Amino acid sequence: MPPDTLGRHGPPVDGAPLGEEEAEGLLHGICFKTGPPRTVGVELEWLIHDREHPEAVVSHDRLRASADAVRATSLDAALTFEPGGQLELSSRPAGSLMACIDATAADLASVRDTLGRAGLVLAGIGVDPWHSPRRLLREPRYDAMEIALDRSGSAGRAMMCTSASVQVCLDAGEEEPGPLGYGRRWQLGHLLGAVLVAAFANSPFRRGRRTGWRSTRQALWADLDPHRTLAPQSLLAPRDAWASHVLATPVMCVRTDDGPWDVPDGLTFRDWIRGGGPRPPVRADLDYHLTTLFPPVRPRGHLELRMIDAQSGTDGWLVPLAVTTALFDDPEAAETVYRTVKPLAETAGSPAAPRNPLWTAAAREGLSDPELAAAAAVCFRAALEALPGLGASDHVIGTVAAFHERYVARGRCPADDLPDPAQGPYGKGLVR
């Protein structure tokens, strides 16, 4: 799927001022591109740790040198680095689940080999269990982002510099109603998303201490910003709901040709169109604004599911990718799972995800929450039944089955296996 290329957005290009109706029309046209689900992608974020002493801070010079070495390798995926030095691989759209897995696995093997020669490893953890936020990238985008997110507290810096995730990208779905219809898939994402948070929660520690959350990463996202990280809270149809949400969300920054970018406080994009900003917005500003919205399910033509913690181990990442793809793209599994998660809407209540009781329980309790554990059990069984029909290899099916047996069938999640960061063997059990 197309990568976000954070940090590579330059100043605005010339263009005619954008009108309100034009902006709504553009959003309607680009947010849900419908058709039979055919492609899948994945975006993998990783922390980078020292192999022998993962609790030690890796110097900026060492990270820069390793980043240059990784950039020099031949990769199928797009490679970017996040503000705190996290590495991100964004796969190209693949025509099948196995094509995505095979290409990504080959890229990861190359990256791991390159980092290994420098004594570094990829760490699949949702939040760094030791280190405080340390921003390494000094670019106008991140300078502006830090200022904007600091208004809501410290969660923004922690997210920018110490978090990592697995983001699954799937086609929006068919125009027509049904288990593969885009409206159903949009709703499914916001209910199943909480189950995925709970099942793959993998970040119980921060700054050397237990936080009280199975997914501290999800707790940080929920605390990040009162508008930017929310799902659209509307009874409107998906396209209308998303367009309204985009225009009602405050602008993170207004890009300039020279000097620091402006960081207005409380200026919505609709207000900007109506003359409230320092200059009229153009189409490029709307495109940029979309990259600064971080809801749990982001429609970018396809659906980007952003709620899953990074996973430990060599093959941990492929489990959420395979399970999520099976539950969305196999019609029978999609129907089974939709019936299973639909009652969770009562637990969620009226607040938008991720700031509602369902998502809070998922992040705090993981699968020790009985309702989420029961839903996860059905979801994983449905995924395992569907994976052979999607062409999944024996290795992929076996890896998913092993995760199910170790965690889901026992009402547990990966966070329950992570020992205290103060214990010596902790790091070496995570960064292999």
Side-chain angles (χ1 to χ4, degrees):
M1 298 294 171
D4 231 2
T5 57
L6 300 183
R8 296 186 179 182
H9 300 278
V13 297
D14 293 334
L18 189 66
E20 200 164 334
E21 289 187 8
E22 182 186 2
E24 291 175 347
L26 287 169
L27 291 169
H28 273 249
I30 64 178
C31 57
F32 296 94
K33 296 180 179 177
T34 56
R38 291 193 178 97
T39 58
V40 57
V42 68
E43 299 178 19
L44 301 177
E45 296 173 340
W46 302 88
L47 304 171
I48 298 179
H49 285 164
D50 182 275
R51 180 172 52 215
E52 299 301 323
H53 301 284
E55 75 286 354
V57 174
V58 180
S59 71
H60 193 180
D61 288 343
R62 192 177 176 197
L63 280 173
R64 184 187 297 112
S66 65
D68 290 341
V70 173
R71 289 191 185 99
T73 63
S74 178
L75 299 175
D76 187 69
L79 171 71
T80 53
F81 287 88
E82 296 297 302
Q86 310 99 304
L87 181 150
E88 179 175 346
L89 288 176
S90 300
S91 77
R92 293 193 292 177
S96 70
L97 172 64
M98 284 311 304
C100 182
I101 289 175
D102 288 345
T104 303
D107 283 345
L108 283 172
S110 179
V111 170
R112 287 188 172 110
D113 181 65
T114 301
L115 291 178
R117 291 196 291 270
L120 300 174
V121 288
L122 297 176
I125 323 168
V127 170
D128 195 302
W130 294 287
H131 306 139
S132 298
R134 176 186 56 145
R135 185 158 68 93
L136 305 180
L137 296 185
R138 297 291 168 180
E139 300 178 0
R141 173 182 174 94
Y142 296 125
D143 293 342
M145 182 181 292
E146 186 172 271
I147 293 170
L149 296 182
D150 276 353
R151 291 170 178 153
S152 300
S154 62
R157 295 193 184 205
M159 176 278 294
M160 290 171 63
C161 301
T162 63
S163 70
S165 68
V166 175
Q167 298 177 18
V168 180
C169 300
L170 299 168
D171 286 330
E174 298 173 344
E175 189 71 29
E176 297 76 16
L180 300 185
Y182 81 95
R184 172 75 67 84
R185 287 159 75 87
W186 175 246
Q187 185 179 9
L188 180 63
H190 292 93
L191 294 175
L192 176 61
V195 179
L196 298 176
V197 169
F200 296 109
N202 192 36
S203 50
F205 301 105
R206 182 169 177 244
R207 291 178 171 174
R209 296 181 176 87
R210 187 176 293 277
T211 64
W213 298 84
R214 259 52 170 222
S215 177
T216 302
R217 175 185 167 276
Q218 185 57 51
L220 289 171
W221 277 104
D223 196 37
L224 188 65
D225 183 285
H227 308 285
R228 193 168 310 282
T229 59
L230 294 182
Q233 189 176 14
S234 174
L235 297 178
L236 299 173
R239 289 189 177 97
D240 294 331
W242 179 245
S244 176
H245 178 74
V246 169
L247 297 181
T249 301
V251 172
M252 177 175 283
C253 56
V254 176
R255 296 171 296 166
T256 60
D257 292 312
D258 299 307
W261 293 356
D262 293 335
V263 187
D265 190 359
L267 175 71
T268 70
F269 202 91
R270 193 183 300 277
D271 291 338
W272 188 8
I273 291 175
R274 293 176 177 178
R279 60 170 176 79
V282 298
R283 164 66 189 272
D285 291 310
L286 179 61
D287 293 339
Y288 184 82
H289 178 58
L290 290 170
T291 73
T292 69
L293 306 185
F294 310 122
V297 183
R298 184 162 65 175
R300 304 180 60 205
H302 59 277
L303 299 180
E304 182 183 79
L305 282 75
R306 305 172 51 85
M307 71 288 295
I308 302 169
D309 280 0
Q311 298 295 293
S312 308
T314 302
D315 293 329
W317 60 273
L318 70 79
V319 179
L321 171 60
V323 168
T324 307
T325 302
L327 298 182
F328 271 79
D329 287 1
D330 180 87
E332 185 174 343
E335 185 64 32
T336 297
V337 171
Y338 179 73
R339 291 197 303 267
T340 299
V341 301
K342 190 175 180 180
L344 298 179
E346 294 185 11
T347 302
S350 59
R355 292 187 170 190
N356 65 41
L358 177 66
W359 282 68
T360 300
R364 188 184 297 278
E365 307 297 337
L367 292 188
S368 67
D369 179 277
E371 186 178 33
L372 288 164
V378 175
C379 291
F380 268 75
R381 287 196 297 268
L384 284 166
E385 291 175 2
L387 282 171
L390 295 180
S393 67
D394 290 343
H395 174 71
V396 169
I397 295 171
T399 302
V400 173
F403 186 99
H404 172 259
E405 180 179 351
R406 180 173 182 176
Y407 296 116
V408 180
R410 302 179 185 184
R412 303 175 69 252
C413 61
D416 296 324
D417 272 358
L418 299 186
D420 191 284
Q423 298 181 15
Y426 177 82
K428 294 183 182 180
L430 288 176
V431 298
R432 62 184 184 275

